[in-house]
Amino acid sequence: MVGTVPMIPLPRRPVAPDARARDWYENELGWATVAGEPLRLVTGVRFDVLDVPAEAGAAALRHLAPGSPVALQGDRMRLLVAAGGAEELPGLLDWLEWGSLPLDLLALGAGGRLDAPAPPGPDAGGPRPLPAGRTGPAFPARRIPAPRSAGSPHSAQGAALWLRPPEPGREVEASLPTLSAVGGGGGAPDLVRLVDTVAAHCHRIRLRRACAGPPAVQPLAFS
């Protein structure tokens, strides 16, 4: 009599970090992602993004609600704003009299893509969320990583990190700065104040760099 061979399940392959992150964004947050690697988020659906120098973004954190998500990538800060904010930005800058100046201020709206920061957790390796009530410009400036070299994995081309991660189970729209909050008396942050503060600091950064001038050119030494 030939005995039956017991069925031994094949070992499971470990879930890739990108797969875990994609599951977190799509199933826990309900955010759309782009197929392929690296993992990227679709803007213009649940939110738009203001991409600014980290220094300018830190100064504007006081205008955000405690649950408003903020990401870092190298020396850039990504402030999530209400969907449609990117389309409103040029007219808003003109109205605030910043439109004629070359500001280091970008907006990602419909059809845009954002590098997905690693989900928060003990192994994420990024900065933790700012404690409630500590959102003034001085405090976040101490928490923002210094700009890295171009070859660093955390440079502008490297990994994105959450400074303030989104909270699963919570509708992100209610916490995002919006133009409709102007004079509305609601709980949403005011996009006008946020943009005005960011633009002012972008202008200061530009003036400071202009005053510093180009780096001195060292003469070549010939033997």
Side-chain angles (χ1 to χ4, degrees):
M1 180 176 178
V2 179
T4 58
V5 178
M7 297 297 293
I8 301 176
L10 295 175
R12 295 182 178 179
R13 294 182 178 179
V15 180
D18 271 3
R20 288 195 297 266
R22 191 180 301 276
D23 177 74
W24 187 75
Y25 280 110
E26 293 184 350
N27 297 325
E28 296 195 37
L29 295 179
W31 292 8
T33 65
V34 182
E37 298 180 3
L39 180 60
R40 307 184 81 187
L41 306 175
V42 178
T43 61
V45 181
R46 300 287 302 276
F47 56 86
D48 286 356
V49 174
L50 296 184
D51 183 330
V52 302
E55 178 183 335
L61 291 180
R62 67 182 184 272
H63 297 307
L64 300 179
S68 187
V70 178
L72 290 171
Q73 190 168 16
D75 58 357
R76 307 291 297 182
M77 186 177 289
R78 278 72 189 266
L79 308 172
L80 271 62
V81 300
E87 186 178 353
E88 300 283 356
L89 183 62
L92 185 53
L93 289 172
D94 286 340
W95 185 67
L96 292 168
E97 300 184 350
W98 292 112
S100 61
L101 298 176
L103 302 175
D104 188 8
L105 171 58
L106 306 175
L108 299 174
R113 303 291 184 263
L114 176 70
D115 288 351
D123 299 325
R128 295 181 179 179
L130 296 178
R134 300 294 299 276
T135 57
F139 179 73
R142 296 197 298 269
R143 301 296 299 274
I144 295 173
R148 310 294 183 90
S149 64
S152 167
H154 296 293
S155 67
Q157 292 76 32
L161 304 170
W162 282 117
L163 177 62
R164 291 181 181 178
E167 299 178 17
R170 180 175 179 177
E171 291 294 331
V172 69
E173 288 84 355
S175 68
L176 299 182
T178 176
L179 195 60
S180 62
V182 180
D190 184 354
L191 181 63
V192 174
R193 292 175 184 241
L194 177 70
V195 169
D196 192 36
T197 299
V198 166
H201 280 79
C202 285
H203 182 53
R204 292 176 188 174
I205 294 171
R206 186 177 70 90
L207 292 178
R208 188 170 66 236
R209 290 173 178 172
C211 291
V217 177
Q218 297 293 332
L220 298 175
F222 294 94
S223 56

